[in-house]
Amino acid sequence: MSALPDGLEPMDPLTWRTVVARCLLGSTVKLVAYTLANYASSDGSDVRPGEALLIKDTELGERTVRDALTKLREVGLIVRTFHASATGLRDKADEYRLTFPEDLESRVPMWDPKRRRITQGGEEMAPPAPKTRQKRTKAPATDAGGSEGAPPASPAGGPVENGSESVENPVGDAPENPLPGGNHRQLLPEPPATVTGTTGNSCPPPSHAPSQSPSQDSGFSPYGAEVEGETAERCEPSADLDYPTAFKIVNQVLSRIPAYTEAIRAKAAAKGRDSPRGEALTIAVARLVLADHPELTPERRTA
C-alpha cells in the first residue's frame, strides 16, 4: 500500500459514507461519492470502477462525473493511487482510496452529528436555502386573426380605438386585477402521505427513534447521527436483515466497525471465500453487532 499524503488517514467505506453525508458538497458530488464507496474494499482501498461505470451507475454526464471526482480529491476525501492515463494505459481505470483529512471541517462546511448547525473552520454558518421550483408563466395569447403590432387592449369597460369607430371592450375579456399589496397566491406542495405499512420483511424498517443514546457508550464515533421518531416496539433480529436496517445498526457503533470487518475478512479467508463488500458487508457487520449488543435490535413501529 502506497503512503498517503500528510494529514490524510485511510477510512473504511461505512464510516466514510457517514462523513460524506455530513459534508455540504452538493447532491451530484455526494451521488458519485456513495457510488465510489460501493466498489471499495473493507479498508477503503481498491476503488477502481472507472468513469464509464460511474456514468452508468449515476446516470450523470462524463463531465459531471469528472468534476465530482476532482472535487472529492480537492477536499481530501479520496486519493488517486493509480493514474492510468498518465502512464499511457488508457484502457485501464484510475484507482482511488477513501481517506479522511484531519482538517476536513476547515476545508468544507459540515453539519454537526445531530444536523442542527453547520460549521466551517470553527465558525457557524447559516443553513443553505432550500431549492424551489419556479412556476412557469405562459405568454399572453393573441386573438384569432390579430396581428403582432396591434395596440394593447384598454382597461375593463373602456373604449378600444379601431379606426373611426369606438367599440366598448367587453368586461369578460379584461384581465383579472392582481391581489392588493402584491399578495399573489402561491401554490404550495402538499405534504407526502404517511405510510404505516411494513415492507414485507420479517423485521420492518426501524423507526427514527434511536434505541440507545450515543452518550451512553464511550465507543461511539463522533460521526454518527441521531434522528427523532415515534414510539416503537422491539423485535428480534432476523436472518434476512435488509440494508437500510443494517445501516441504521452499524451507524451506532462506528468506532468498532474496523474490528468487525477484520473478523468478517478473517472468517471468509479461513473458509477460502472472498470477503463481502458494499451492502453485503454492511449486513454482515450488523449481524455481529446485534450478537454483541442485542439492545440495538431494530424496533417495530406501533400504532
Side-chain angles (χ1 to χ4, degrees):
M1 182 182 66
S2 59
L4 295 175
D6 294 339
L8 297 182
E9 297 293 337
M11 181 169 284
D12 64 275
L14 295 178
T15 309
W16 189 81
R17 282 192 187 98
T18 308
V19 174
V20 171
R22 291 179 50 198
C23 298
L24 273 67
L25 300 169
S27 57
T28 301
V29 178
K30 283 188 175 181
L31 175 59
V32 175
Y34 295 149
T35 307
L36 279 176
N38 292 337
Y39 294 95
S41 300
S42 58
D43 60 351
S45 62
D46 303 327
V47 186
R48 46 177 180 273
E51 292 182 0
L53 190 54
L54 288 176
I55 292 172
K56 293 178 181 179
D57 287 357
T58 61
E59 301 183 17
L60 299 173
E62 179 180 357
R63 180 64 179 273
T64 304
V65 170
R66 288 182 177 179
D67 291 344
L69 293 173
T70 301
K71 178 66 175 179
L72 292 172
R73 291 200 307 268
E74 290 176 350
V75 300
L77 287 172
I78 61 174
V79 170
R80 183 162 53 189
T81 57
F82 177 72
H83 194 181
S85 60
T87 58
L89 302 175
R90 298 188 179 275
D91 58 333
K92 301 294 184 180
D94 291 348
E95 183 175 324
Y96 298 93
R97 183 181 183 88
L98 309 182
T99 55
F100 172 74
E102 297 176 354
D103 57 344
L104 180 60
E105 292 188 358
S106 64
R107 298 188 181 193
V108 62
M110 295 184 63
W111 284 102
D112 70 296
K114 295 184 178 180
R115 308 302 196 273
R116 294 178 179 174
R117 62 191 185 94
I118 300 174
T119 58
Q120 182 177 12
E123 298 182 1
E124 187 171 352
M125 302 177 60
K131 296 181 180 180
T132 57
R133 180 178 298 179
Q134 297 181 353
K135 184 180 178 181
R136 295 182 179 180
T137 57
K138 296 182 179 180
T142 57
D143 295 336
S147 59
E148 295 183 357
S154 63
V160 178
E161 296 295 335
N162 187 10
S164 59
E165 297 180 359
S166 178
V167 182
E168 293 293 329
N169 186 30
V171 178
D173 295 340
E176 297 181 359
N177 293 328
L179 297 178
N183 186 18
H184 301 285
R185 289 183 293 178
Q186 181 181 3
L187 297 177
L188 298 177
E190 297 182 358
T194 303
V195 179
T196 58
T198 62
T199 60
N201 296 326
S202 59
C203 185
S207 69
H208 293 292
S211 58
Q212 180 179 354
S213 174
S215 60
Q216 298 176 2
D217 192 340
S218 60
F220 281 86
S221 168
Y223 300 105
E226 277 187 275
V227 288
E228 299 177 355
E230 50 195 42
T231 306
E233 176 187 359
R234 187 173 304 279
C235 68
E236 295 301 325
S238 173
D240 56 344
L241 198 64
D242 58 6
Y243 174 70
T245 304
F247 186 80
K248 293 282 187 180
I249 296 172
V250 301
N251 200 30
Q252 301 183 65
V253 290
L254 293 176
S255 61
R256 305 177 186 176
I257 290 177
Y260 285 119
T261 54
E262 287 299 327
I264 294 173
R265 293 175 63 186
K267 184 177 180 181
K271 294 183 178 181
R273 301 177 181 175
D274 294 335
S275 177
R277 296 187 180 184
E279 295 184 2
L281 177 61
T282 305
I283 295 174
V285 172
R287 289 172 179 167
L288 292 182
V289 173
L290 292 181
D292 294 341
H293 302 279
E295 71 275 6
L296 298 181
T297 303
E299 300 172 342
R300 179 183 294 113
R301 295 179 180 177
T302 58

